[in-house]
Amino acid sequence: MMNKAEQITGSEVLLRGLLAEGVECVFGYPGGNVLYIYDAMVGNPDFKHILTRHEQGAIHAADGYARSTGKVGVCLATSGPGATNLVTGIATAYMDSVPIVVITGNVPTAVMGTDAFQEADIVSITMPITKHGYLVRDVHDLPRIIQEAFYIANTGRKGPVLIDIPKDVSNQLMRIQPSGPIQLRGYKGAPQPDRTEVDKLIQAITESEKPVIIAGGGVVHSNASQELIAFADRTRIPVTTTLQGLGGFPSAHELWLGMPGMHGTYAANTAIQNADLIISIGSRFDDRVTMRLDGFAPQAKKVAHIDIDPAEIGKNVRTDIACIGDIQAVLAYAITKAGPARSGSWIEEIVNNKTRYPLQYKDSDTVLKPQYVLEMISETTNGEAIITTDVGQHQMWTAQFYKFNHPRSLLTSGGLGTMGYGFPSAIGAQIGNPDRLVVSINGDGGMQMCAQELAVCAIHNIPVKIVVINNQVLGMVKQWQELIHDNRLSHIELAGSPDFVKLAEAYGVRGLRAGTKQEALEAWQEALRTLGPVLVEFTVPSEENVYPMVFSGDTLDQMKLGDMA
């Protein structure tokens, strides 16, 4: 039992508070204004901290941990540049509704506002990209703030919360007192579903002949995958899953259409454009999904939206039926009342479209195609791995050709599109899932943005399998310049990139390379057999593009099929 009269520093309060919240690991980078916090870690065997090689690596690792486990990720950095180096990762988590508690140091309160060394008003800087931000001016507030931060981050629409601790506060003494219940004026988590609206949805389903479900990341965040499957089975409604929703509905299911949007499948996009009822479940009608808004789902008589965040209702697409609440709770009720739609002929039409226009590419026996690599990884892992990606062409090929079976199996920056996210997020995912295979798929551009985190894998023997799809070019930028900007290629060559095998070996990570199908299979199997971390570089041609593609300003049915035609 803890002595109630015991006096401890703010730093010790922080560490004990994090352990009380069940934090398994903190990813961080020390500096002058968090030295008391790091000093408190000395001799504390219960507190696990991983030193990344850049603050951005720390927050992306915390993000990957959170997405893959459903728990709150935690990262720690010092003031000024340490804190500002976290901004991109905070925005990444905010855009994709990922629960993270971000802890930063600040200059002592006596010099705040004087432009002191390494001072930055990080609370104000991050206000638009956090659910809430705290500046701790009194150590006695810290226990309450820690509890509130975790509660806010992981309830309602989840997201990052910032705790900024001045250096003197981290060294202030306080007597430990039992914490009271959390009371937050004006803050509500998930509202109770309005059953009247759900009943309207059920009625609309019974009248529908061409319904489509668009399932997004909210299905994954609310752990509602099983409810979605049951709902789709009961109503006989086809399901398309957004980039963030991949895995929330199994790819092998007969009603799955693939991914919608800019690089979505023919079956998914065509279904949306011809549907008489659109049901968005945890999807925010992102512009990469809807494309030209005034041409989105033109045949839909009704649009229903199930979401935990009222602000998303009607924000981008008109909403006729609004089911606000936790998706798991909404679907659990809906399942008890739902019956089948009149969708028999509709499903036959969709199955026919899937058969006529499957995702495909022009394979080769002489060069290694990136799509083949993704198919190979999917088949050899049976779709059971946790996959992280960076951003670009390889991200879209992963979404298209890897067959996800489970939620929380794809970790990728969707809303912000952050290059450099893929590799460090895999480190966090592996820490949170030590018994799972974690594969990080990167382009040669994004890999160089956080390649220094190879040191973390080597030192801690974190067995992430690191894939580099090396086409020596910024592939997605090239694709846009080629197709939209009349092939005016500008500053996209990455030919001066390092030898990734040697780079991995320099950090103490095994490196392998493949440039043919046979080499690819052999190298990948060797990577899977290796117990520790391995980097495999797949050299692929720079000419490959991602298809289908819908150009900006076009509607979903104006797909360019490319190699699929």
Side-chain angles (χ1 to χ4, degrees):
M1 292 285 293
M2 187 188 303
N3 181 358
K4 291 184 179 180
E6 179 185 7
Q7 279 198 327
I8 60 174
T9 66
S11 296
E12 185 64 31
V13 170
L14 175 64
L15 300 195
R16 294 190 189 188
L18 295 178
L19 290 172
E21 294 292 337
V23 174
E24 296 175 315
C25 181
V26 172
F27 305 89
Y29 202 98
N33 285 316
V34 288
L35 285 183
Y36 289 124
I37 297 173
Y38 276 86
D39 184 64
M41 297 180 195
V42 177
N44 188 334
D46 297 325
F47 194 84
K48 183 176 181 180
H49 175 281
I50 285 186
L51 172 65
T52 60
R53 294 305 185 263
H54 192 285
E55 290 89 354
Q56 189 165 335
I59 192 162
H60 289 333
D63 181 302
Y65 174 91
R67 294 193 204 216
S68 64
T69 64
K71 303 174 184 177
V72 178
V74 181
C75 66
L76 170 63
T78 193
S79 65
T84 56
N85 277 345
L86 297 174
V87 170
T88 297
I90 295 172
T92 300
Y94 184 79
M95 289 285 280
D96 291 342
S97 304
V98 181
I100 298 178
V101 169
V102 181
I103 301 163
T104 55
N106 212 326
V107 299
T109 53
V111 296
M112 290 183 74
T114 67
D115 293 330
F117 178 67
Q118 291 194 332
E119 179 182 4
D121 184 357
I122 195 63
V123 173
S124 296
I125 290 170
T126 60
M127 189 175 295
I129 54 171
T130 54
K131 283 191 72 176
H132 194 62
Y134 292 94
L135 173 60
V136 187
R137 292 184 174 273
D138 187 332
V139 71
H140 295 90
D141 295 329
L142 188 55
R144 169 186 59 81
I145 287 173
I146 295 169
Q147 284 187 302
E148 290 180 3
F150 277 81
Y151 177 73
I152 293 170
N154 209 29
T155 55
R157 181 173 181 171
K158 302 178 182 185
V161 176
L162 177 79
I163 304 176
D164 193 35
I165 307 174
K167 186 173 185 177
D168 56 321
V169 174
S170 68
N171 197 41
Q172 285 178 358
L173 292 172
M174 68 168 286
R175 296 186 186 277
I176 290 294
Q177 298 291 336
S179 299
I182 296 175
Q183 296 180 338
L184 293 172
R185 289 182 58 191
Y187 177 77
K188 296 180 181 179
Q192 289 299 312
D194 183 344
R195 294 192 171 189
T196 302
E197 288 294 302
V198 182
D199 291 341
K200 290 180 183 178
L201 171 59
I202 300 305
Q203 180 62 34
I205 290 172
T206 63
E207 298 169 354
S208 173
E209 296 180 355
K210 296 182 177 182
V212 170
I213 291 171
I214 303 175
V219 172
V220 177
H221 293 312
S222 63
N223 299 312
S225 179
Q226 291 304 311
E227 286 78 7
L228 175 59
I229 295 170
F231 182 70
D233 285 339
R234 185 176 290 266
T235 58
R236 302 302 297 163
I237 300 178
V239 177
T240 175
T241 43
T242 69
L243 179 66
Q244 294 299 330
L246 288 172
F249 194 79
S251 61
H253 198 288
E254 60 172 338
L255 293 174
W256 187 62
L257 303 175
M259 184 177 70
M262 176 175 282
H263 296 293
T265 66
Y266 180 91
N269 286 349
T270 303
I272 289 172
Q273 292 302 88
N274 291 291
D276 61 11
L277 173 64
I278 297 288
I279 306 172
S280 172
I281 305 180
S283 171
R284 56 188 177 85
F285 291 114
D286 169 72
D287 60 294
R288 287 292 178 95
V289 169
T290 64
M291 301 310 292
R292 201 178 84 203
L293 270 174
D294 62 4
F296 175 74
Q299 305 301 319
K301 299 173 184 176
K302 289 185 179 179
V303 175
H305 196 166
I306 303 174
D307 205 287
I308 201 169
D309 186 357
E312 290 297 340
I313 305 299
K315 185 179 80 174
N316 295 327
V317 173
R318 81 167 206 283
T319 301
D320 303 294
I321 303 169
C323 302
I324 302 170
D326 179 75
I327 291 168
Q328 189 179 63
V330 172
L331 290 181
Y333 171 69
I335 291 166
T336 65
K337 305 194 74 175
R342 296 180 288 173
S343 56
S345 298
W346 176 235
I347 292 173
E348 289 182 13
E349 179 182 334
I350 283 173
V351 170
N352 184 46
N353 282 337
K354 288 172 65 176
T355 303
R356 288 172 56 211
Y357 297 102
L359 288 169
Q360 57 188 11
Y361 58 96
K362 292 181 180 177
D363 203 358
S364 171
D365 292 325
T366 57
V367 296
L368 181 62
K369 292 295 186 81
Q371 301 94 326
Y372 172 84
V373 174
L374 270 303
E375 284 184 324
M376 178 192 70
I377 293 172
S378 181
E379 291 171 3
T380 54
T381 62
N382 296 314
E384 295 292 322
I386 295 175
I387 303 293
T388 77
T389 83
D390 214 84
V391 172
Q393 287 179 317
H394 69 277
Q395 178 189 33
M396 293 297 102
W397 284 319
T398 301
Q400 291 178 337
F401 291 100
Y402 194 94
K403 303 305 181 186
F404 294 95
N405 298 325
H406 309 291
R408 303 193 184 280
S409 293
L410 174 62
L411 318 181
T412 190
S413 173
L416 198 65
T418 302
M419 290 181 68
Y421 171 85
F423 174 39
S425 67
I427 294 174
Q430 191 74 82
I431 293 295
N433 302 269
D435 298 325
R436 294 280 302 277
L437 171 64
V438 178
V439 180
S440 175
I441 300 172
N442 309 269
D444 47 323
M447 185 64 202
Q448 294 181 76
M449 292 193 173
C450 282
Q452 69 280 347
E453 305 308 331
L454 284 163
V456 178
C457 284
I459 292 168
H460 298 281
N461 197 33
I462 298 172
V464 173
K465 309 310 175 190
I466 308 152
V467 171
V468 179
I469 306 293
N470 188 356
N471 60 1
Q472 297 195 341
V473 71
L474 290 172
M476 191 59 84
V477 180
K478 171 189 167 293
Q479 179 166 337
W480 280 53
Q481 290 179 348
E482 176 186 326
L483 300 178
I484 301 173
H485 296 275
D486 297 326
N487 205 34
R488 293 190 299 275
L489 305 183
S490 178
H491 300 285
I492 55 171
E493 296 293 333
L494 294 176
S497 299
D499 181 322
F500 287 101
V501 172
K502 290 182 178 179
L503 181 66
E505 292 172 347
Y507 278 104
V509 172
R510 188 175 184 189
L512 302 168
R513 180 181 292 109
T516 67
K517 284 184 175 180
Q518 184 63 30
E519 291 174 352
L521 185 58
E522 291 174 357
W524 182 241
Q525 289 177 335
E526 178 64 21
L528 293 177
R529 287 194 296 268
T530 302
L531 297 179
V534 182
L535 182 148
V536 186
E537 178 186 3
F538 297 97
T539 56
V540 300
S542 62
E543 295 79 21
E544 286 296 301
N545 286 330
V546 181
Y547 290 107
M549 181 178 183
V550 181
F551 292 172
S552 296
D554 286 350
T555 56
L556 287 177
D557 51 351
Q558 295 176 302
M559 287 169 282
K560 305 298 185 291
L561 296 181
D563 292 343
M564 291 176 56

